Amino acid sequence: MSFNHVLRRSGDIMLLTGLGLCTMAIILMIAAPVHAQQGRREILREQVNPNADSEDPWLGGDWQFGAFGQIESNPYRGADSTDLGGLPLLAYDAERMHIGIDGIDIKAWQNDFASLSVIGGFRDGPFESGDSNYLRGMKDTDMGYDVGIGFSTRLWRGELIGSYLTDVADTHNGHEVDVSYFVPLQLGDVNFEWGAGVTWQSENLVDYGTGVSRAEVRSDRAYYAPDATFLPHLDVTVAYPLTESLNIIGTGGFIYLSDEYTDSPIIDDDYVLSAGLGLVYTF
């Protein structure tokens, strides 16, 4: 019996405890991208593990293990200009099921051209009061958990991906809708995915990251209660296979912050830039 076969069988048995392992691994997480789109996460998973046809779409998948680091510009007033973060990668990925630190994606329906999924993932708090002197006295934003539905379909030369997420942890009590379009490009062994889209955030979700309550007002920080808004974004993901099982992955992103963000007294910039690099072993 081959070593890879033993690993795969062990992975199937471990699936029953996979959710618990992933939850415990969250404790190790240093930071997560605040504005990461569901579409970009799904495209990245497809590049790392394309999930060739299997007899079992649920248990015929692979385990992924690795690490991912990211640098992201920080738009908050007085805070460091960039944030560095990293997280371990641990996931089980099959044709119709993904369970990992980066979230869950259970395909309730799919055919050769489209799919409908139940999705969920953690949302890191946008800021802490200790991030800058200007933010001192603000209430720290807690980590939340969002769940919802996702949709993807082939369209022209690429893939149209949509998602709806809502808070289930009573953290921000908001909603988010994202629609993105990704186009693949292959140069030798390097796989690129270029994408663009727009994210709609409800009033409560925008307030979660930009609002200033009356209790937080001071002489240089005015009360601020935003409305819902749209956030356009550009994304790129890259995957390069070092071996049959080992992939190096990269991401890049640009988010344009609307007036509902930039009018807030705690926001300094009108955009967020991000870049990430990771290594993933699939078995």
Side-chain angles (χ1 to χ4, degrees):
M1 183 178 292
S2 70
F3 179 66
N4 283 338
H5 181 76
V6 172
L7 285 176
R8 182 181 293 275
R9 293 306 93 196
S10 298
D12 290 344
I13 296 172
M14 291 170 62
L15 179 59
L16 295 176
T17 58
L19 278 171
L21 289 172
C22 293
T23 300
M24 289 179 0
I26 286 295
I27 300 174
L28 302 176
M29 185 169 59
I30 299 173
V34 175
H35 302 285
Q37 287 78 40
Q38 174 67 23
R40 187 169 71 178
R41 290 196 293 265
E42 183 169 331
I43 289 294
L44 186 58
R45 291 196 294 262
E46 289 178 357
Q47 286 189 330
V48 173
N49 185 11
N51 284 322
D53 290 340
S54 169
E55 294 181 0
D56 190 335
W58 302 101
L59 298 179
D62 296 304
W63 282 86
Q64 299 169 355
F65 179 76
F68 185 82
Q70 175 163 291
I71 182 171
E72 184 175 64
S73 64
N74 190 335
Y76 286 95
R77 185 174 176 180
D80 293 340
S81 58
T82 57
D83 284 334
L84 294 174
L87 70 157
L89 296 179
L90 176 63
Y92 176 80
D93 199 55
E95 181 183 344
R96 296 189 61 172
M97 177 170 59
H98 177 94
I99 302 175
I101 293 175
D102 59 330
I104 63 170
D105 187 324
I106 310 297
K107 288 183 170 54
W109 171 85
Q110 72 170 7
N111 59 22
D112 291 338
F113 301 98
S115 67
L116 186 66
S117 302
V118 177
I119 58 177
F122 286 89
R123 183 185 294 271
D124 198 22
F127 65 87
E128 294 181 356
S129 60
D131 289 346
S132 76
N133 288 331
Y134 186 79
L135 294 174
R136 203 168 300 278
M138 298 285 293
K139 180 181 178 182
D140 289 341
T141 52
D142 297 327
M143 176 182 287
Y145 196 85
D146 298 343
V147 300
I149 57 174
F151 173 78
S152 67
T153 184
R154 296 180 187 177
L155 182 65
W156 193 44
R157 297 182 178 179
E159 187 173 7
L160 181 68
I161 298 176
S163 64
Y164 165 77
L165 290 169
T166 187
D167 176 30
V168 295
D170 197 27
T171 303
H172 54 77
N173 297 311
H175 314 276
E176 182 177 88
V177 176
D178 184 78
V179 179
S180 303
Y181 184 71
F182 289 87
V183 177
L185 174 65
Q186 185 163 355
L187 298 176
D189 292 331
V190 182
N191 295 310
F192 292 88
E193 291 280 354
W194 303 90
V198 62
T199 302
W200 174 84
Q201 293 184 341
S202 69
E203 177 181 317
N204 284 345
L205 183 52
V206 180
D207 184 73
Y208 174 62
T210 68
V212 178
S213 69
R214 299 201 183 275
E216 296 167 331
V217 170
R218 66 186 196 190
S219 60
D220 61 344
R221 191 171 62 210
Y223 170 75
Y224 184 68
D227 293 324
T229 194
F230 290 91
L231 302 173
H233 56 86
L234 301 173
D235 305 284
V236 60
T237 65
V238 184
Y240 177 75
L242 297 176
T243 67
E244 183 178 344
S245 301
L246 189 64
N247 283 268
I248 186 169
I249 57 176
T251 65
F254 170 84
I255 301 173
Y256 176 75
L257 301 180
S258 66
D259 290 346
E260 294 301 322
Y261 269 78
T262 58
D263 286 348
S264 168
I266 64 174
I267 297 291
D268 246 357
D269 297 332
D270 55 7
Y271 62 87
V272 173
L273 293 171
S274 64
L277 187 66
L279 197 64
V280 180
Y281 179 70
T282 303
F283 60 92

